[in-house]
Amino acid sequence: MGFNLHKDLGKLSARDAAERLLGSMLVRETASGSVSGIIVETEAYDQSDKASHTYRGLTNRNYVMFGPAGSSYVYFTYGMHYCVNVVVGPEGMGASVLLRAIEPLTGIELMAFRRLTTDIRKICNGPAKICQAFSINKELNGHDLKKPPLYLELNDPIATKKIVWTERIGIRENKTLLWRACIKDSPFVSRQV
DNA sequence: AGAGCGATGGCCT
DNA sequence: GGCCATCGCTCTA
């Protein structure tokens, strides 16, 4: 595909990037095997947004979000889970797209083993489930998503009419903003729309 | 030192 | 779908 991850994502707003990433493929390689899937649900965050980790400026935790587009921003939550974002926009903008749900494509058996479930719809239907199924943790924070062992393959942009925008999940601030993007009618999203 | 933050699984309806 | 129990990191003080 003729897409340049860094260039493509670096030009977009968080919201546009959230839309752009739908339908793209995420691939993860480990010693126990490779897994992959299609991104079906995303959420946008940028520095103007009270719900964003970057709202209060640069910190030790969020510095990756101010770095180059196409990097992974991995954060720890609930004392037990990881979530993975794709950094987007020009450097310094402090924007990212949270990956919320993925349609499993390859390595399904390995993902099912890691997730302790065989229900394919429940393997990657949530941001922390993605990290568990894809074996993503803090070591991949700031990783360049053009390269193994974790990389993105941008797909053709999804037609706008196939995307549903809703309120983001699990946040306190800016709840009314419609910055959650889902592929319409996908059975693999974290919460049906 | 302490408040704030939030995803999942299990249960139910 | 809703309700509930579960925890440790991050930031500001």
Side-chain angles (χ1 to χ4, degrees), chain A residues 97-145:
Chain A
V97 172
L98 172 66
L99 304 185
R100 282 203 52 95
I102 284 179
E103 175 176 345
L105 205 60
T106 65
I108 291 172
E109 210 169 289
L110 177 54
M111 289 194 279
F113 170 74
R114 287 171 177 158
R115 289 274 306 115
L116 303 174
T117 178
T118 51
D119 185 341
I120 190 164
R121 291 162 307 177
K122 293 181 178 170
I123 290 179
C124 296
N125 64 334
K129 295 180 185 181
I130 291 174
C131 287
Q132 199 179 356
F134 278 65
S135 190
I136 294 170
N137 60 32
K138 203 82 199 222
E139 287 170 26
L140 287 164
N141 187 33
H143 172 75
D144 180 352
L145 290 170

Coordinates of all heavy atoms in Angstrom, one line a residue, chain A residues 97-145:
Chain A
V97 N -4.8 8.7 19.3 CA -6.0 7.9 19.1 C -5.9 6.6 19.9 O -5.0 5.8 19.7 CB -6.2 7.6 17.6 CG1 -7.3 6.6 17.3 CG2 -6.4 8.9 16.8
L98 N -6.9 6.5 20.8 CA -7.0 5.2 21.6 C -7.6 4.1 20.8 O -8.6 4.3 20.2 CB -7.8 5.5 22.8 CG -8.2 4.3 23.7 CD1 -6.9 3.7 24.4 CD2 -9.2 4.6 24.8
L99 N -6.9 3.0 20.7 CA -7.5 1.8 20.0 C -8.4 1.1 21.0 O -7.9 0.6 22.0 CB -6.3 0.9 19.5 CG -5.3 1.5 18.6 CD1 -4.3 0.5 18.1 CD2 -5.9 2.3 17.5
R100 N -9.7 1.0 20.7 CA -10.6 0.5 21.6 C -11.2 -0.9 21.3 O -11.6 -1.7 22.1 CB -11.8 1.4 21.7 CG -11.6 2.6 22.6 CD -12.9 3.2 23.1 NE -13.7 2.1 23.7 CZ -13.7 1.9 25.0 NH1 -13.0 2.6 25.9 NH2 -14.4 0.9 25.5
A101 N -11.1 -1.3 20.0 CA -11.6 -2.6 19.6 C -11.0 -3.0 18.3 O -10.8 -2.2 17.4 CB -13.1 -2.7 19.5
I102 N -10.7 -4.3 18.1 CA -10.1 -4.9 17.0 C -10.8 -6.2 16.6 O -11.2 -6.9 17.4 CB -8.6 -5.2 17.2 CG1 -7.8 -3.9 17.2 CG2 -8.0 -6.2 16.2 CD1 -6.4 -4.0 17.5
E103 N -11.0 -6.3 15.3 CA -11.6 -7.6 14.8 C -10.4 -8.6 14.5 O -9.6 -8.3 13.7 CB -12.3 -7.3 13.4 CG -12.8 -8.6 12.8 CD -13.7 -8.3 11.5 OE1 -14.1 -7.2 11.3 OE2 -13.9 -9.3 10.8
P104 N -10.4 -9.7 15.3 CA -9.3 -10.6 15.1 C -9.2 -11.2 13.7 O -10.2 -11.5 13.1 CB -9.6 -11.7 16.1 CG -10.5 -11.1 17.1 CD -11.3 -10.1 16.3
L105 N -7.9 -11.3 13.2 CA -7.7 -11.7 11.9 C -6.8 -13.0 11.8 O -7.3 -14.0 11.4 CB -7.0 -10.6 11.1 CG -7.2 -10.5 9.6 CD1 -8.7 -10.4 9.2 CD2 -6.5 -9.4 9.0
T106 N -5.6 -12.9 12.3 CA -4.7 -14.0 12.4 C -4.2 -14.2 13.8 O -4.2 -13.3 14.6 CB -3.5 -13.9 11.4 OG1 -2.7 -12.8 11.8 CG2 -4.0 -13.6 10.0
G107 N -3.7 -15.4 14.0 CA -3.2 -15.8 15.4 C -4.4 -15.8 16.4 O -4.1 -15.6 17.6
I108 N -5.5 -16.2 16.0 CA -6.7 -16.1 16.8 C -6.5 -17.1 18.0 O -6.9 -16.8 19.1 CB -8.0 -16.4 16.0 CG1 -8.3 -15.2 15.1 CG2 -9.2 -16.7 17.0 CD1 -9.4 -15.5 14.1
E109 N -5.9 -18.3 17.7 CA -5.8 -19.3 18.8 C -4.8 -18.7 19.9 O -5.1 -18.9 21.1 CB -5.1 -20.5 18.2 CG -5.5 -21.8 18.9 CD -5.1 -23.0 18.0 OE1 -5.7 -23.3 17.0 OE2 -4.2 -23.7 18.5
L110 N -3.8 -18.1 19.5 CA -2.8 -17.5 20.5 C -3.5 -16.4 21.3 O -3.4 -16.3 22.5 CB -1.6 -16.9 19.7 CG -0.6 -16.2 20.6 CD1 -0.1 -17.1 21.7 CD2 0.6 -15.8 19.7
M111 N -4.3 -15.5 20.6 CA -5.0 -14.5 21.3 C -6.1 -15.1 22.3 O -6.2 -14.6 23.4 CB -5.7 -13.5 20.3 CG -4.7 -12.7 19.6 SD -5.5 -11.3 18.7 CE -6.1 -12.1 17.2
A112 N -6.7 -16.1 21.8 CA -7.7 -16.7 22.7 C -7.1 -17.3 23.9 O -7.6 -17.2 25.1 CB -8.5 -17.8 21.9
F113 N -5.9 -17.9 23.8 CA -5.1 -18.4 24.9 C -4.8 -17.3 25.9 O -4.9 -17.5 27.1 CB -3.9 -19.1 24.4 CG -2.9 -19.5 25.4 CD1 -3.2 -20.6 26.3 CD2 -1.7 -18.8 25.6 CE1 -2.2 -20.9 27.2 CE2 -0.8 -19.1 26.6 CZ -1.1 -20.2 27.4
R114 N -4.3 -16.2 25.3 CA -3.9 -15.1 26.2 C -5.1 -14.5 26.9 O -5.0 -14.0 28.1 CB -3.2 -14.0 25.4 CG -1.8 -14.3 24.9 CD -1.3 -13.3 23.9 NE 0.1 -13.5 23.5 CZ 0.6 -13.1 22.4 NH1 -0.2 -12.3 21.6 NH2 1.8 -13.3 22.1
R115 N -6.2 -14.5 26.3 CA -7.4 -13.8 26.8 C -8.3 -14.8 27.6 O -9.2 -14.3 28.3 CB -8.2 -13.3 25.6 CG -7.6 -12.0 25.0 CD -8.0 -10.8 25.7 NE -9.4 -10.7 25.8 CZ -10.1 -10.7 27.0 NH1 -9.5 -10.8 28.1 NH2 -11.4 -10.7 26.9
L116 N -8.0 -16.0 27.6 CA -8.8 -17.0 28.4 C -10.2 -17.0 27.9 O -11.1 -17.1 28.8 CB -8.7 -16.8 29.9 CG -7.2 -16.8 30.4 CD1 -7.3 -16.4 31.9 CD2 -6.6 -18.1 30.3
T117 N -10.5 -16.9 26.6 CA -11.8 -17.0 26.1 C -11.7 -17.5 24.7 O -10.7 -17.3 24.0 CB -12.6 -15.6 26.1 OG1 -13.9 -15.8 25.5 CG2 -11.8 -14.6 25.3
T118 N -12.8 -18.2 24.3 CA -12.8 -18.7 22.9 C -13.8 -17.9 22.0 O -13.9 -18.1 20.8 CB -13.1 -20.2 22.8 OG1 -14.3 -20.4 23.6 CG2 -12.0 -21.0 23.4
D119 N -14.5 -17.0 22.7 CA -15.5 -16.2 22.0 C -14.8 -15.1 21.2 O -14.3 -14.2 21.7 CB -16.5 -15.6 23.0 CG -17.6 -14.9 22.3 OD1 -17.5 -14.5 21.1 OD2 -18.7 -14.6 22.9
I120 N -14.8 -15.3 19.9 CA -14.0 -14.4 19.0 C -14.4 -12.9 19.1 O -13.6 -12.0 19.0 CB -14.1 -14.8 17.5 CG1 -13.1 -14.1 16.7 CG2 -15.5 -14.7 17.0 CD1 -12.8 -14.7 15.4
R121 N -15.7 -12.7 19.5 CA -16.2 -11.3 19.6 C -15.6 -10.7 20.9 O -15.7 -9.5 21.1 CB -17.7 -11.2 19.6 CG -18.3 -11.6 18.3 CD -19.8 -11.9 18.5 NE -19.9 -13.0 19.5 CZ -21.1 -13.4 19.9 NH1 -22.2 -12.9 19.4 NH2 -21.1 -14.4 20.8
K122 N -15.2 -11.5 21.8 CA -14.7 -11.0 23.1 C -13.2 -11.0 23.3 O -12.7 -10.7 24.4 CB -15.4 -11.8 24.3 CG -16.9 -11.6 24.3 CD -17.5 -12.4 25.4 CE -19.0 -12.1 25.5 NZ -19.7 -13.1 26.4
I123 N -12.5 -11.2 22.2 CA -11.0 -11.3 22.3 C -10.4 -9.9 22.4 O -9.5 -9.7 23.1 CB -10.5 -12.2 21.2 CG1 -10.8 -13.6 21.4 CG2 -8.9 -12.0 21.1 CD1 -10.3 -14.6 20.3
C124 N -10.9 -9.0 21.5 CA -10.3 -7.7 21.4 C -11.4 -6.6 21.5 O -11.1 -5.5 20.9 CB -9.5 -7.5 20.1 SG -8.1 -8.6 20.0
N125 N -12.5 -6.8 22.2 CA -13.5 -5.7 22.2 C -13.4 -4.9 23.5 O -14.3 -4.8 24.3 CB -14.9 -6.4 22.2 CG -15.2 -7.3 23.4 OD1 -14.3 -7.8 24.0 ND2 -16.5 -7.4 23.7
G126 N -12.3 -4.2 23.6 CA -12.0 -3.3 24.7 C -10.5 -2.9 24.7 O -9.7 -3.8 24.2
P127 N -10.1 -1.7 25.1 CA -8.7 -1.3 25.0 C -7.7 -2.2 25.7 O -6.6 -2.4 25.2 CB -8.8 0.1 25.5 CG -10.0 0.2 26.3 CD -11.0 -0.7 25.7
A128 N -8.1 -2.6 26.9 CA -7.2 -3.4 27.7 C -7.2 -4.9 27.2 O -6.2 -5.6 27.3 CB -7.6 -3.4 29.2
K129 N -8.3 -5.3 26.6 CA -8.3 -6.6 26.0 C -7.4 -6.7 24.8 O -6.8 -7.7 24.6 CB -9.8 -7.0 25.6 CG -10.7 -7.1 26.7 CD -12.1 -7.4 26.3 CE -13.1 -7.4 27.4 NZ -14.5 -7.7 27.0
I130 N -7.3 -5.6 24.0 CA -6.4 -5.6 22.9 C -5.0 -5.8 23.4 O -4.2 -6.6 22.8 CB -6.5 -4.2 22.2 CG1 -7.8 -4.1 21.4 CG2 -5.3 -4.0 21.2 CD1 -8.0 -2.7 20.8
C131 N -4.6 -5.1 24.5 CA -3.3 -5.2 25.0 C -3.0 -6.6 25.5 O -1.8 -7.1 25.4 CB -3.0 -4.1 26.0 SG -2.9 -2.5 25.3
Q132 N -4.0 -7.2 26.1 CA -3.7 -8.6 26.6 C -3.6 -9.5 25.4 O -2.7 -10.3 25.4 CB -4.9 -9.0 27.5 CG -4.6 -10.2 28.4 CD -5.8 -10.5 29.2 OE1 -6.8 -9.9 29.2 NE2 -5.7 -11.6 30.0
A133 N -4.5 -9.4 24.4 CA -4.4 -10.3 23.3 C -3.2 -10.1 22.4 O -2.7 -11.1 21.9 CB -5.7 -10.2 22.4
F134 N -2.7 -8.9 22.3 CA -1.6 -8.5 21.5 C -0.3 -8.5 22.3 O 0.8 -8.2 21.8 CB -1.8 -7.2 20.8 CG -2.6 -7.3 19.6 CD1 -4.0 -7.6 19.6 CD2 -2.1 -7.0 18.3 CE1 -4.7 -7.7 18.5 CE2 -2.8 -7.0 17.2 CZ -4.2 -7.4 17.2
S135 N -0.4 -8.8 23.6 CA 0.8 -8.8 24.5 C 1.5 -7.4 24.4 O 2.7 -7.4 24.1 CB 1.7 -9.9 24.1 OG 2.7 -10.1 25.1
I136 N 0.8 -6.4 24.7 CA 1.3 -5.0 24.6 C 1.5 -4.5 26.0 O 0.5 -4.5 26.8 CB 0.4 -4.1 23.8 CG1 0.4 -4.5 22.3 CG2 0.9 -2.6 23.9 CD1 -0.6 -3.8 21.5
N137 N 2.7 -4.1 26.4 CA 2.8 -3.5 27.7 C 3.7 -2.3 27.6 O 4.1 -1.8 26.5 CB 3.4 -4.5 28.7 CG 4.7 -5.0 28.3 OD1 5.5 -4.4 27.7 ND2 4.9 -6.3 28.6
K138 N 4.1 -1.7 28.8 CA 4.9 -0.5 28.8 C 6.2 -0.5 28.0 O 6.7 0.5 27.6 CB 5.2 -0.2 30.3 CG 5.5 1.2 30.6 CD 4.2 2.0 30.8 CE 4.5 3.5 30.7 NZ 3.9 4.4 31.6
E139 N 6.7 -1.7 27.8 CA 7.9 -1.8 27.0 C 7.7 -1.3 25.6 O 8.7 -0.9 24.9 CB 8.4 -3.3 26.9 CG 9.0 -3.8 28.2 CD 9.2 -5.3 28.1 OE1 9.4 -5.8 27.0 OE2 9.2 -5.9 29.2
L140 N 6.5 -1.3 25.1 CA 6.2 -0.8 23.8 C 5.8 0.7 23.7 O 5.4 1.2 22.7 CB 5.2 -1.7 23.1 CG 5.7 -3.0 22.7 CD1 4.6 -4.0 22.4 CD2 6.6 -2.9 21.5
N141 N 5.9 1.4 24.9 CA 5.6 2.8 24.9 C 6.6 3.5 24.1 O 7.8 3.4 24.4 CB 5.6 3.3 26.4 CG 5.1 4.7 26.5 OD1 4.2 5.1 25.7 ND2 5.6 5.4 27.4
G142 N 6.2 4.4 23.2 CA 7.1 5.1 22.4 C 7.7 4.4 21.2 O 8.6 4.9 20.5
H143 N 7.2 3.2 20.9 CA 7.6 2.4 19.8 C 7.2 2.9 18.5 O 6.1 3.4 18.4 CB 7.1 0.9 20.0 CG 7.4 0.1 18.8 ND1 8.7 -0.5 18.5 CD2 6.6 -0.4 17.8 CE1 8.6 -1.2 17.4 NE2 7.3 -1.2 17.0
D144 N 8.0 2.8 17.5 CA 7.7 3.3 16.1 C 6.8 2.3 15.4 O 7.3 1.2 15.1 CB 9.0 3.5 15.3 CG 8.7 4.0 13.9 OD1 7.5 4.1 13.5 OD2 9.7 4.4 13.2
L145 N 5.5 2.6 15.2 CA 4.6 1.7 14.7 C 4.7 1.3 13.2 O 3.8 0.7 12.6 CB 3.2 2.2 14.9 CG 2.8 2.1 16.4 CD1 1.4 2.9 16.7 CD2 2.7 0.7 16.9

